[in-house]
Amino acid sequence: MSTASRPRIVSRLASRLPVTVDPTVRRLAVLSLIGQIVLVVTGGAVRLTASGLGCPTWPRCTNASLVNTPEMGIHGIIEFGNRLLTFALAAVAVMMLVYLWNLRRERRDLFLLALGLLASIPVQAVIGGITVLTGLNPWVVGLHFLVSMALVVLATLLVNRAFGRTGRARTAELAALPGAARPVMTAVALFSAIAVCLGVVVTGAGPHAGDADAPRNDLDWDLFSHIHAVPAYLVTAGALFGLFLVLRDRIGGPFRSAVFMLLGVTVLQAVIGFTQYYNGIPALLVGAHMLGAALLMSAATNAADLARYSPVK
């Protein structure tokens, strides 16, 4: 291929890409969010099945193989499967950037969010590698999880922007909210993040290390469980206050749905949290709690984002 012909090929390809945010872009945004949440679940499966060192080295699965081997058994399959999922997320992020190419200036918000999701994948891979090479150090494992939570937040914002619910290019009609709604929903998102961070500390002190020989952070698990519950109570209070505003002022539309979703996820997380605490922290409930954490971060981000862009009464 000659150098002169390359610009023509690029121009021809670009001409086939959308010039508006079409259904494909929206589907890719939703797929990004689902993929980030699934990655949290598969990461939890790695930890809770003691498969954290199923692939004992990095970037290869073993010193002699890029992939897991039959001798590694189910632990190798689980750990390598989690690694493979990052490639699927990378493919979705690349497709999103390609489809947004003609909109990279007009919809810079979407392009930058998609770029951030793509750029995070090698960062997550490196942190995952450090996790393995440090023998599942609980603080590195926790960082790995927190980055995943940040990506859930970015993916949620991407979905809202792609559907025109929020952002400068907003097309959705949002109901006017009382002045208290915006700061309360912002506080709910902040306390959700704090609860997740403290949950990482609790998990690092608990029994599910990802491997029988992995170290713990040596903190008081019971004490930090109670500390972790404080911001969770505040999130619940904020969600209930949001429900009060919605019912009192008969607020409809996306914000109403966001508040109901936030309250539902918050109550579910509370039920799972109390149940696992009083039943010896069974692995299945811990996994459900990790999924709930991802859903909570998405729901809280969605509610805060909608409150930010809604008009004020």
Side-chain angles (χ1 to χ4, degrees), residues 100-120:
L100 288 171
W101 183 251
N102 289 333
L103 295 164
R104 64 189 184 279
R105 294 186 180 87
E106 179 185 350
R107 292 304 308 271
R108 185 178 174 84
D109 57 337
L110 292 178
F111 193 80
L112 289 179
L113 284 169
L115 185 62
L117 289 171
L118 178 61
S120 72

Side-chain angles (χ1 to χ4, degrees), residues 123-135:
V123 174
Q124 275 287 67
V126 170
I127 297 173
I130 296 172
T131 300
V132 171
L133 297 176
T134 57

Side-chain angles (χ1 to χ4, degrees), residues 63-181:
N63 290 328
S65 175
L66 284 171
V67 301
N68 61 298
T69 61
E71 294 77 15
M72 301 169 72
I74 188 63
H75 295 306
I77 293 173
I78 293 173
E79 164 64 5
F80 187 69
N82 185 58
R83 292 187 183 188
L84 280 181
L85 183 57
T86 61
F87 290 98
L89 288 174
V92 172
V94 168
M95 290 175 63
M96 187 74 174
L97 287 174
V98 169
Y99 270 89
L100 288 171
W101 183 251
N102 289 333
L103 295 164
R104 64 189 184 279
R105 294 186 180 87
E106 179 185 350
R107 292 304 308 271
R108 185 178 174 84
D109 57 337
L110 292 178
F111 193 80
L112 289 179
L113 284 169
L115 185 62
L117 289 171
L118 178 61
S120 72
I121 291 171
V123 174
Q124 275 287 67
V126 170
I127 297 173
I130 296 172
T131 300
V132 171
L133 297 176
T134 57
L136 305 183
N137 180 289
W139 299 108
V140 182
V141 173
L143 175 63
H144 201 38
F145 180 77
L146 291 179
V147 173
S148 291
M149 291 294 101
L151 297 181
V152 169
V153 170
L154 289 182
T156 301
L157 295 176
L158 181 65
V159 170
N160 276 353
R161 303 298 191 273
F163 280 84
R165 289 154 54 92
T166 60
R168 294 181 179 178
R170 177 172 62 86
T171 56
E173 292 187 12
L174 300 179
L177 304 180

Side-chain angles (χ1 to χ4, degrees), residues 218-237:
D218 296 327
L219 296 175
D220 187 327
W221 176 85
D222 190 63
L223 172 63
F224 275 91
S225 293
H226 286 87
I227 295 174
H228 162 63
V230 174
Y233 294 145
L234 295 174
V235 170
T236 304

Side-chain angles (χ1 to χ4, degrees), residues 6-79:
R6 289 175 184 171
R8 289 196 297 271
I9 293 175
V10 172
S11 297
R12 194 177 303 122
L13 291 173
S15 67
R16 298 180 180 179
L17 297 173
V19 293
T20 60
V21 178
D22 66 0
T24 300
V25 172
R26 296 189 182 100
R27 291 189 195 104
L28 287 171
V30 172
L31 193 58
S32 293
L33 177 57
I34 293 173
Q36 295 297 341
I37 293 174
V38 170
L39 186 62
V40 171
V41 175
T42 59
V46 169
R47 184 185 191 119
L48 298 170
T49 58
S51 302
L53 295 178
C55 287
T57 188
W58 184 88
R60 292 172 175 265
C61 196
T62 71
N63 290 328
S65 175
L66 284 171
V67 301
N68 61 298
T69 61
E71 294 77 15
M72 301 169 72
I74 188 63
H75 295 306
I77 293 173
I78 293 173
E79 164 64 5

Side-chain angles (χ1 to χ4, degrees), residues 2 35 73 102 182 207 267 284:
S2 67
N102 289 333
R182 186 177 300 176
V267 171
L284 187 60

Side-chain angles (χ1 to χ4, degrees), residues 4 28 155 169 189 202 256 276 295 302 306 308:
L28 287 171
V202 174
R256 178 187 181 91
Q276 70 173 2
L295 295 176
N302 179 47
L306 287 167
R308 176 187 175 191

